[in-house]
Amino acid sequence: MPRFLTMIRIDEQNAPAEGPGPEFEGRMAELLEEITKAGVMLDTAGLTPTSEGTRVTWSEGKLHWSDGPFTESKEVIGGYALTQCKDKAEALEWTKRFLQIHPEHLTVTAEVREIAEG
C-alpha cells in the first residue's frame, strides 16, 4: 500500500497565542486514535517554531545557513503525518477529517503527497 506524507502548513506569524483550546485537543485525540486503530497512521507530530530552526541551502556550490525565525515565509510546516492508505482518495479523506476538526477561525493548509517508493 502506498505511503503519503501530509505536511500541515500554518501561518506562524498569526497563530493565536491561546492555542486552539481543550475541545480541539479532545477531537484531535479521538481522530488520532481512530486513524491509528484503522492501521493508517504510521507517525505524526507537530514541529517546534521556526525560531528554533535552521535552513540549510546548497546554492552555487556552497552551503548557506539561515537561523529562524523565517519571517519571510507566509506559511511554514507546522506538523506532519505519515500514513499508509489504499490510495490517494483515502489519504485525502483522512486529511479532510483532520482539517475539519480545527476551529473555524484558524487557517490550516495540508499538502498531501505520495512517497515515491524505490
Side-chain angles (χ1 to χ4, degrees):
M1 286 202 326
R3 295 182 304 156
F4 295 87
L5 179 65
T6 301
M7 294 165 280
I8 309 306
R9 297 185 181 273
I10 60 168
D11 180 353
E12 187 177 63
Q13 305 301 318
N14 294 310
E18 69 279 357
E23 304 84 23
F24 167 77
E25 292 171 9
R27 291 190 309 267
M28 180 63 75
E30 289 174 9
L31 179 63
L32 290 177
E33 182 178 346
E34 182 182 351
I35 193 171
T36 301
K37 283 183 178 179
V40 171
M41 182 65 71
L42 300 176
D43 190 28
T44 188
L47 301 176
T48 59
T50 62
S51 61
E52 299 176 29
T54 301
R55 284 187 179 158
V56 183
T57 303
W58 175 257
S59 177
E60 299 179 6
K62 296 180 182 174
L63 287 172
H64 303 275
W65 302 76
S66 175
D67 289 331
F70 310 124
T71 56
E72 72 279 3
S73 299
K74 171 105 173 98
E75 290 185 331
V76 297
I77 304 293
Y80 70 93
L82 179 61
T83 58
Q84 189 165 29
C85 302
K86 63 183 177 195
D87 54 25
K88 189 173 182 180
E90 181 183 16
L92 291 172
E93 179 61 29
W94 285 112
T95 301
K96 177 185 86 172
R97 292 184 57 197
F98 169 81
L99 290 173
Q100 289 175 328
I101 67 171
H102 285 76
E104 290 182 11
H105 68 278
L106 293 180
T107 299
V108 181
T109 302
E111 180 179 337
V112 179
R113 296 175 62 185
E114 186 173 346
I115 295 174
E117 304 288 352

